[in-house]
Amino acid sequence: MSDAKMESVLSSLSQVARQLEALPSDRPTPDASCVKLSTNENPFPLPTIIMKSAMSALRRQYLYPEDDNISLREAASNAYGVSKDQVIAGNGSSELLGLIYRAFLVPGDSVAMMSPGFSFNRKLAMLQGARFLEIGWGEAPSLPIEQLLSEPAKDAKFILLTNPNNPTGTFVPVADIERLLG
């Protein structure tokens, strides 16, 4: 693509999209003792059964994928004892989060997230014109329920809780989540 054509395409992006920074995916780890997980890399090789399954799937790569992941959703519904209509499947968490943001947010809404947290959530909120609120964990690695239920987070359309938290690994006990919902 020519530079002029690329400039034309990029100029049609929304103001918010032009402000987003690309997620750096090629940064090396600080040293050999670190494992890079910032963009959800898996530091371990695929289990043999998964590799065999992937290789088998490649033999059918020319076929269009199943509409709405019905087989996967049915398998998950059977495994977890829920209706297949309660299961959503996507191409990773970023796609699913994007669907959630587009389905539930309108410009001016607020979203709250524990901080530090998955940085892509800020970008998704910006693209929907939503305010993004970061709530710090505080001193103890427990859910700051009072902060999540008071200003400014109390008016948030939703609160993002990842369990365990990305990137800290902080685990939120189910009892804390139930207290938040209670």
Side-chain angles (χ1 to χ4, degrees), residues 101 105-111 122 125-132:
Y101 276 73
L105 294 177
V106 296
D109 283 343
S110 296
V111 176
R122 174 183 299 286
M126 285 176 61
L127 286 169
Q128 291 308 118
R131 280 184 347 138
F132 189 74

Side-chain angles (χ1 to χ4, degrees), residues 29-45:
T29 59
D31 62 58
S33 68
C34 295
V35 175
K36 183 175 178 263
L37 299 174
S38 63
T39 50
N40 293 323
E41 294 90 348
N42 183 350
F44 306 107

Side-chain angles (χ1 to χ4, degrees), residues 6 42 58 92 95 120 122 125 145:
M6 179 62 81
N42 183 350
L58 283 174
E95 178 187 8
F120 193 57
R122 174 183 299 286
I145 294 170

Side-chain angles (χ1 to χ4, degrees), residues 57-154:
L58 283 174
R59 289 186 199 102
R60 299 181 315 276
Q61 54 75 30
Y62 57 88
L63 298 174
Y64 203 79
E66 182 181 59
D67 209 18
D68 203 18
N69 298 299
I70 297 295
S71 296
L72 176 62
R73 291 175 47 227
E74 285 175 346
S77 96
N78 291 334
Y80 295 103
V82 297
S83 160
K84 77 175 187 303
D85 294 334
Q86 293 175 293
V87 177
I88 186 170
N91 190 19
S93 62
S94 295
E95 178 187 8
L96 296 175
L97 286 167
L99 291 171
I100 291 167
Y101 276 73
R102 287 191 303 275
F104 291 100
L105 294 177
V106 296
D109 283 343
S110 296
V111 176
M113 179 186 83
M114 298 307 301
S115 180
F118 184 39
S119 62
F120 193 57
N121 283 303
R122 174 183 299 286
K123 293 177 183 183
L124 291 170
M126 285 176 61
L127 286 169
Q128 291 308 118
R131 280 184 347 138
F132 189 74
L133 310 168
E134 294 185 70
I135 309 299
W137 285 97
E139 296 299 316
S142 61
L143 201 58
I145 294 170
E146 291 71 32
Q147 273 188 283
L148 290 168
L149 295 175
S150 62
E151 293 295 335
K154 80 172 191 168

